Amino acid sequence: MESDTKEAESLTRGLRRHGHDAASVATGGAALRAYGDADLILLDLDLPDLDGLEICRTVRAACDVPIIAVTARGTELDRVLGLQAGADDYLTKPYGFQELMARMDAVMRRARPRRRARATPSPAADPAPTTIRHGALVIDTGSREVTLNDRHITLTRKEFDLLHLLAANPDSVIPRKHVMQQVWGDSWSRRTVDTHVSTLRNKLGASTWVITVRGVGFRLGHA
């Protein structure tokens, strides 16, 4: 979420070169519509329509997705306000790209235990399998990591949720409406689902990994 278009484009290209599925938006309003698909948010506090601190508070109240404030506001008070608003880290411009990458890695390492703890079932519940294997495809539900032929596949949160839903029901066709409700809740569109299916196929290296059953929904396939 970056207000400077050229800077945002440069940052996005850099992140993609390093294997991240990166996208940018230029306004606070767009940020509030887009953050649901993010595994990590880089948030510029100086947005043209809404104050970045308010964006940070809104996102943090809704979910625990990691947030790094990336901003020209560099005083001690600015940093304190950013962290109090819910940012997990605070990086002042200008900064080095390698430092940003290191901070992203550190924030994501801290975020994984939170997600594993949140997913832990109660003692009374039957424990869900922590690993789903489908041929060369391995899905670790605890760490939310995916490997294919021993190669790590980087997925966004929604891509992982989509793949996990299909893999947890490997012999079933999951109706499109059920996919929408389970992965996106009340915030979805037909185009959103189709875009994520297409991207997931590309990352897995074959369109046959996700089979579209016309008029019904989707099922897990194979290479």
Side-chain angles (χ1 to χ4, degrees):
M1 303 164 189
E2 170 63 65
S3 57
D4 187 305
T5 303
K6 290 184 178 179
E7 185 174 341
E9 291 175 352
S10 176
L11 177 58
T12 300
R13 287 194 300 269
L15 292 172
R16 288 173 177 168
R17 282 196 299 269
H18 282 73
H20 295 282
D21 183 11
S24 66
V25 296
T27 66
L32 291 175
R33 292 190 295 271
Y35 76 86
D37 284 338
D39 292 316
L40 183 146
I41 297 171
L42 301 178
L43 176 63
D44 189 338
L45 299 184
D46 297 301
L47 297 169
D49 56 340
L50 299 171
D51 182 68
L53 292 177
E54 189 57 38
I55 297 294
C56 193
R57 293 188 191 97
T58 301
V59 173
R60 181 55 68 240
C63 66
D64 61 358
V65 61
I67 302 172
I68 300 178
V70 182
T71 175
R73 303 179 188 179
T75 69
E76 180 182 7
L77 177 59
D78 288 325
R79 292 192 294 273
V80 169
L81 291 175
L83 295 171
Q84 288 180 340
D88 295 274
D89 201 353
Y90 195 101
L91 187 59
T92 303
K93 300 178 183 180
Y95 57 86
F97 186 76
Q98 293 303 317
E99 180 184 2
L100 173 63
M101 293 292 293
R103 288 177 180 267
M104 289 172 59
D105 288 343
V107 166
M108 291 305 294
R109 283 197 303 270
R110 295 195 296 270
R112 288 189 189 109
R114 292 205 305 265
R115 293 182 180 181
R116 284 198 292 269
R118 190 175 66 246
T120 301
S122 64
D126 292 331
T130 58
T131 302
I132 298 176
R133 297 180 183 274
H134 189 78
L137 180 67
V138 180
I139 303 170
D140 189 320
T141 58
S143 63
R144 296 178 66 86
E145 294 179 346
V146 175
T147 58
L148 178 61
N149 294 317
D150 297 322
R151 179 174 62 90
H152 179 71
I153 307 296
T154 301
L155 301 180
T156 66
R157 183 168 53 177
K158 295 301 184 184
E159 289 165 358
F160 179 91
D161 291 344
L162 172 59
L163 179 61
H164 181 268
L165 175 63
L166 298 178
N169 303 274
D171 300 320
S172 303
V173 177
I174 310 299
R176 175 183 285 269
K177 184 175 181 180
H178 184 72
V179 171
M180 293 173 174
Q181 292 173 338
Q182 290 297 306
V183 179
W184 283 273
D186 294 327
S187 177
W188 52 266
S189 68
R190 187 181 186 90
R191 183 175 180 180
T192 295
V193 178
D194 291 338
T195 298
H196 279 73
V197 167
S198 177
T199 303
L200 186 56
R201 287 169 173 161
N202 290 336
K203 289 186 176 182
L204 295 175
S207 61
T208 51
W209 274 114
V210 181
I211 306 298
T212 300
V213 181
R214 188 176 298 277
V216 183
F218 306 94
R219 67 175 176 84
L220 187 67
H222 52 78

